[in-house]
Amino acid sequence: MQIRLEKFDYIEGQHRYCVLNLSQTLFGEWCVEQTNGPLGEAGGQQQRSYYTSQETALAAAEKHRDRQIKRGFVPIPVQLGLF
């Protein structure tokens, strides 16, 4: 599962993105990866959290998503390539 969120603040001139990615590791754990930073500029942060079950990882990803939406981010549809 991958969710992309973006925030455009024209008054302060801030354009930021946040990508949440939920995936299973090679060892069977679940990883929630959060990447965020400014759009079109260098820099940004990446944070990974590992969970033993899919339910707890999904709950953590939804918590991150809800927190970003409260901060003014908007979900952007992500189109994945076919090949």
Side-chain angles (χ1 to χ4, degrees), residues 3-70:
I3 302 170
R4 181 177 178 90
L5 302 135
E6 293 183 2
K7 178 181 179 180
F8 294 98
D9 189 355
Y10 294 102
I11 296 172
E12 296 183 13
Q14 294 181 348
H15 308 295
R16 301 190 58 80
Y17 73 94
C18 176
V19 177
L20 295 172
N21 191 11
L22 175 65
S23 60
Q24 192 172 17
T25 66
L26 184 63
F27 301 108
E29 295 178 323
W30 288 88
C31 177
V32 176
E33 181 179 357
Q34 179 180 358
T35 308
N36 53 16
L39 278 173
E41 296 179 17
Q45 299 178 16
Q46 191 175 52
Q47 179 181 0
R48 291 185 183 106
S49 302
Y50 296 95
Y51 300 92
T52 55
S53 69
Q54 183 181 11
E55 292 81 20
T56 56
L58 184 59
E62 290 174 349
K63 183 179 176 182
H64 285 301
R65 181 199 63 202
D66 294 342
R67 185 178 336 137
Q68 295 297 348
I69 289 173
K70 285 182 182 179

